[in-house]
Amino acid sequence: MAAAGALLAALTLDLVAGTVAKGDFPPLAAGCIGGGLLFIGLNNIVNDFGGFLRKASTTMYHLRKQEYRKFRQILSLAKRTDVFWVVG
């Protein structure tokens, strides 16, 4: 597995160095930003359909986020009630 990562890194550096040497940095930067945004969007779609279960860390993040949303919902409901009196 480490050899595949080293090969990918070498290939990436070779492609990026050639592109920068030609002066084509703006399209390279746009492609990197576009690819990153595409990855984030697709990752969120996969997670919305249960993809968060693929790793323990993303499962824990999802569960904590659900718990936080429930807490915020309860807190917003509590703010609307007349149970709490302001003593001044």
Side-chain angles (χ1 to χ4, degrees), residues 4-35:
L7 179 62
L8 182 62
L11 179 62
T12 302
L13 287 174
D14 188 43
L15 290 172
V16 168
T19 302
V20 172
K22 289 181 194 176
D24 292 335
F25 181 74
L28 175 69
C32 290
I33 292 170

Side-chain angles (χ1 to χ4, degrees), residues 49-84:
F49 286 97
F52 59 87
L53 296 172
R54 65 187 182 264
K55 293 190 308 185
S57 62
T58 54
T59 302
M60 293 301 295
Y61 174 77
H62 175 76
L63 293 174
R64 272 190 247 118
K65 191 165 66 170
Q66 275 187 332
E67 186 176 306
Y68 178 74
R69 285 181 183 163
K70 286 180 186 177
F71 172 75
R72 296 293 296 178
Q73 183 181 17
I74 291 170
L75 188 60
S76 70
L77 291 174
K79 287 180 181 178
R80 294 184 208 162
T81 62
D82 292 333
V83 175
F84 299 105

Side-chain angles (χ1 to χ4, degrees), residues 38-54 58 62:
L38 179 66
F39 173 81
I40 290 170
L42 292 175
N43 189 49
N44 285 336
I45 291 170
V46 168
N47 283 340
D48 288 344
F49 286 97
F52 59 87
L53 296 172
R54 65 187 182 264
T58 54
H62 175 76

